[in-house]
């Protein structure tokens, strides 16, 4: 049994032994063990009150229309 | 008495809104960002609640018309523009609120840059744009700048309330390679799109990822704001925000603020009138100026040609370059669509536009484009 399977098995046993510590649906959880990654999620800073967001959103319409797209297509 | 048994009605989804033009209509799906052209006669079958009684229709239309209608019904069903219901159920699906507002005094800003520009980017981005809650910016450069110049600007943007930024940059191999610019865009996630102009070929340098990090190169040479104002289906924005804004406001200039290469604050960099210079004038004072706001309210339903166009509420406007410079309600000069024939034509060769092309000094630009 590899390390991931051992961790998975231990987690299942933990859920079985302590059902009151987990949601009632926990017995049906499909457990996946992920590798630890060194990549950190890069947050977008919004400049005030230490506010951050994970993803940004583009403006809902073109800000200007410099490129004549009909020539490209 | 209300109907309680299911009857054959169809209703347009609330986000699917018909717009009538001179010769045909379009149904705009504001949720899925698409539209389909349909004849007026189909739209006329729906009542003011976007409801159509199929049973009644079968008794009133002749066989040939019913055959045509069934094809259109199939189209509407396939696109999921309509759903079947009875009259009682239809009341559970009210029309969407078409009121428009935005939590910013200025929603978007264009900043033009050339070698002579002396903008204080830190003050402009961190203080001035923040004072008007402007979170969407486009920087357009007409001269060559090194990647470190753009990197200094993006560092200011990365730590500011700006949500997304577009760059229009001159493509000069001596300043950066396409690989370098792609990596730079990838590591700065507020960048929505970088367009490299004056490039050797038209191509997608880097594919977009979730609406961001797109890098395009185009052969077109952009050396002044005169290149702006193009009208093309690729620029259509089919969403609730654009559509509802269009009903009561100008689709290009409403709550837009622009800084030209010399720092003059304008409605649009292509317009002549300046409301002060960024060196000594606060953006908040300009945005609150009633005179500055006048053009915000020139809506499509008032503009010649646009008011007869079925695309008017999904298309952006241009008030800087218009067919008749003496008439502020004249049609955009760079629009080649004819709503009376439903054909797109080349605008620059239209004989009726030549006088305006000369007025704006666009002869060289038009010649280059041919």
């Amino acid at each position: 049994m590899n390390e991931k399977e051992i961790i998975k098995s231990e987690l299942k046993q933990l859920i079985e032994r302590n059902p009151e510590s987990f949601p009632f649906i926990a017995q049906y959880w499909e457990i996946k063990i992920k590798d630890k990654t060194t990549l950190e999620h890069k947050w977008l800073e919004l400049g005030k009150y230490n506010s951050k967001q994970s993803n940004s959103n583009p403006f809902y319409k073109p800000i200007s229309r410099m490129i004549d797209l009909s020539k490209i297509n | 008495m209300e109907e309680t048994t299911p009857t054959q009605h169809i209703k347009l989804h609330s986000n699917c809104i018909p717009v009538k033009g001179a010769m045909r209509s379009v149904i705009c799906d504001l949720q899925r960002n698409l539209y389909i052209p349909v004849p007026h006669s189909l739209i006329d079958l729906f009542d003011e609640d976007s409801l159509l009684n199929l049973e009644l229709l079968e008794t009133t239309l002749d066989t040939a018309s019913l055959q045509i209608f069934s094809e259109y019904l199939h189209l509407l069903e396939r696109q999921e523009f309509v759903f079947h219901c009875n009259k009682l159920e239809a009341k559970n699906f009210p029309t969407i609120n078409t009121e428009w507002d935005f939590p910013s005094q200025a929603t978007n800003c264009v900043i033009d840059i050339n070698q002579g520009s002396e903008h204080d980017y830190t003050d402009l981005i961190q203080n001035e744009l923040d004072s008007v809650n402007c979170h969407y910016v486009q920087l357009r450069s007409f001269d060559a700048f090194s990647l470190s110049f753009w990197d200094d600007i993006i560092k200011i943007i990365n730590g500011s309330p700006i949500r997304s930024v577009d760059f229009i940059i001159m493509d000069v191999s001596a300043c950066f390679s396409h690989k370098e610019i792609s990596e730079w865009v990838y590591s700065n996630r507020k960048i929505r799109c970088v367009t490299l102009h004056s490039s050797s070929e038209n191509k997608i340098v880097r594919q977009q990822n979730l609406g961001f990090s797109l890098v395009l190169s185009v052969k077109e040479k952009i050396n002044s704001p005169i290149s702006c104002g193009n009208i093309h289906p690729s620029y259509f924005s089919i969403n609730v925000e654009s559509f509802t804004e269009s009903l009561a406001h100008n689709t290009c200039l409403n709550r837009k603020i622009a800084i030209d290469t010399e720092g003059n604050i304008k409605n649009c960099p292509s317009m002549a009138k300046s409301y002060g210079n960024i060196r000594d004038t606060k953006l908040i004072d300009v945005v609150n100026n009633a005179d500055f706001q006048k053009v915000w309210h020139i809506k499509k339903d008032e503009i010649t040609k646009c008011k007869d166009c079925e695309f008017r509420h999904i298309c952006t406007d241009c008030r800087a370059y218009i067919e008749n410079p003496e008439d502020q309600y004249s049609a955009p000069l760079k629009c080649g669509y004819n709503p009376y024939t439903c054909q797109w034509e080349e605008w620059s060769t239209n004989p009726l536009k030549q006088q305006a092309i000369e007025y704006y000094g666009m002869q060289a630009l038009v010649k280059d484009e041919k």
Side-chain angles (χ1 to χ4, degrees):
Chain A
M1 197 184 280
N2 66 28
E3 193 183 0
K4 282 187 182 178
E5 291 301 316
I6 293 167
I7 296 169
K8 203 189 276 188
S9 169
E10 284 176 359
L11 276 170
K12 278 185 178 172
Q13 286 172 20
L14 183 69
I15 293 167
E16 278 173 20
R17 283 199 304 271
N18 307 290
E20 70 286 349
S21 305
F22 294 90
F24 74 94
I25 197 87
Q27 57 183 311
Y28 301 110
W29 279 353
E30 186 185 340
I31 300 166
K32 285 183 182 172
I33 312 296
K34 291 188 173 180
D35 291 318
K36 189 178 178 183
T37 171
T38 51
L39 286 174
E40 282 181 32
H41 184 76
K42 206 171 178 182
W43 291 90
L44 300 175
E45 290 181 25
L46 295 180
K48 277 184 178 177
Y49 315 115
N50 201 26
S51 53
K52 294 173 181 176
Q53 61 185 45
S54 58
N55 287 302
S56 192
N57 57 307
F59 195 47
Y60 59 83
K61 62 179 180 181
I63 292 178
S64 73
R65 300 174 306 286
M66 294 290 270
I67 311 299
D68 188 350
L69 294 168
S70 65
K71 298 283 187 298
I72 297 168
N73 297 340
Chain B
M1 193 175 159
E2 296 285 3
E3 290 173 79
T4 51
T5 52
T7 52
Q8 287 297 312
H9 282 75
I10 55 166
K11 185 174 167 66
L12 280 166
H13 283 284
S14 313
N15 55 296
C16 298
I17 303 181
V19 181
K20 276 189 169 183
M23 300 303 289
R24 64 178 179 180
S25 300
V26 290
I27 301 175
C28 305
D29 183 341
L30 305 181
Q31 192 169 320
R32 298 189 200 188
N33 316 116
L34 54 92
Y35 65 88
I36 52 165
V38 290
H40 288 326
S41 53
L42 179 68
I43 299 303
D44 290 337
L45 295 174
F46 288 88
D47 67 13
E48 64 274 13
D49 296 320
S50 301
L51 201 62
L52 192 159
N53 187 334
L54 292 172
E55 280 182 348
L56 188 64
L57 197 70
E58 281 170 15
T59 60
T60 51
L61 289 185
D62 59 44
T63 315
S65 302
L66 264 178
Q67 176 64 30
I68 296 167
F69 173 75
S70 69
E71 286 172 21
Y72 275 107
L73 179 60
H74 183 61
L75 170 71
L76 295 176
E77 286 174 334
R78 195 176 63 234
Q79 295 282 0
E80 297 181 300
F81 278 18
V82 292
F83 61 98
H84 289 258
C85 61
N86 66 35
K87 211 169 181 179
L88 192 60
E89 287 168 338
K91 288 181 180 172
N92 295 327
F93 299 90
T95 55
I96 60 170
N97 185 356
T98 53
E99 194 181 343
W100 180 89
D101 207 349
F102 203 92
S104 299
Q105 291 96 323
T107 58
N108 64 109
C109 177
V110 180
I111 303 168
D112 279 358
I113 304 165
N114 65 11
Q115 290 289 0
S117 300
E118 295 175 348
H119 306 325
D120 178 349
Y121 297 100
T122 307
D123 182 53
L124 183 56
I125 293 163
Q126 290 185 345
N127 303 325
E128 287 302 302
L129 290 179
D130 191 33
S131 72
V132 290
N133 275 319
C134 180
H135 298 147
Y136 301 94
V137 180
Q138 185 175 64
L139 291 115
R140 317 187 304 188
S141 80
F142 307 124
D143 294 325
F145 289 95
S146 66
L147 192 55
S148 63
F149 171 82
W150 298 115
D151 199 46
D152 288 343
I153 293 177
I154 200 67
K155 277 176 184 158
I156 301 166
I157 288 172
N158 283 343
S160 78
I162 302 293
R163 300 272 165 84
S164 83
V165 58
D166 288 354
F167 289 93
I168 297 177
I169 294 174
M170 183 183 268
D171 190 2
V172 184
S173 55
C175 294
F176 47 77
S177 68
H178 284 186
K179 188 171 181 286
E180 283 173 324
I181 202 95
S182 293
E183 285 169 2
W184 178 73
V185 166
Y186 179 72
S187 55
N188 292 287
R189 291 174 51 231
K190 286 189 181 179
I191 301 175
R192 191 192 72 86
C193 177
V194 172
T195 307
L196 304 167
H197 67 83
S198 314
S199 197
S200 57
E201 57 180 327
N202 294 326
K203 71 169 184 179
I204 297 170
V205 177
R206 184 190 158 77
Q207 291 284 356
Q208 58 103 8
N209 177 30
L210 301 172
F212 278 78
S213 305
L214 176 67
V215 183
L216 297 171
S217 71
V218 293
K219 287 198 269 187
E220 198 174 335
K221 288 180 175 56
I222 295 172
N223 47 26
S224 79
I226 211 165
S227 299
C228 197
N230 291 300
I231 306 284
H232 187 263
S234 307
Y235 282 120
F236 286 177
S237 41
I238 313 152
N239 53 53
V240 175
E241 293 92 336
S242 274
F243 191 95
T244 52
E245 185 178 23
S246 165
L247 297 174
H249 306 282
N250 188 268
T251 46
C252 183
L253 300 177
N254 185 41
R255 300 208 199 173
K256 179 188 275 330
I257 200 150
I259 317 288
D260 76 5
T261 52
E262 292 166 9
N264 297 312
I265 306 167
K266 300 175 175 181
N267 290 108
C268 160
S270 300
M271 288 176 140
K273 188 162 185 183
S274 167
Y275 292 84
N277 195 288
I278 194 68
R279 285 192 300 270
D280 49 30
T281 309
K282 294 285 174 199
L283 285 188
I284 188 75
D285 294 334
V286 174
V287 168
N288 288 331
N289 180 338
D291 197 31
F292 183 78
Q293 294 180 7
K294 270 184 186 170
V295 290
W296 292 5
H297 308 294
I298 302 175
K299 53 188 180 184
K300 285 285 181 62
D301 291 332
E302 299 169 329
I303 296 169
T304 313
K305 193 174 89 168
C306 293
K307 61 186 172 190
D308 292 329
C309 180
E310 60 274 24
F311 301 123
R312 64 189 177 277
H313 295 311
I314 54 175
C315 178
T316 42
D317 187 34
C318 177
R319 289 297 90 204
Y321 305 120
I322 50 181
E323 285 183 359
N324 178 2
E326 304 297 318
D327 175 13
Q328 66 169 346
Y329 293 98
S330 178
L333 179 64
K334 296 186 183 179
C335 175
Y337 185 66
N338 184 342
Y340 311 106
T341 60
C342 303
Q343 297 291 317
W344 286 91
E345 291 150 7
E346 175 54 48
W347 66 271
S348 60
T349 52
N350 186 332
L352 299 173
K353 293 181 187 257
Q354 297 312 309
Q355 209 172 341
I357 288 170
E358 276 178 41
Y359 176 89
Y360 293 116
M362 286 181 184
Q363 298 94 322
L365 177 80
V366 167
K367 199 178 163 190
D368 283 350
E369 285 180 355
K370 278 177 192 170

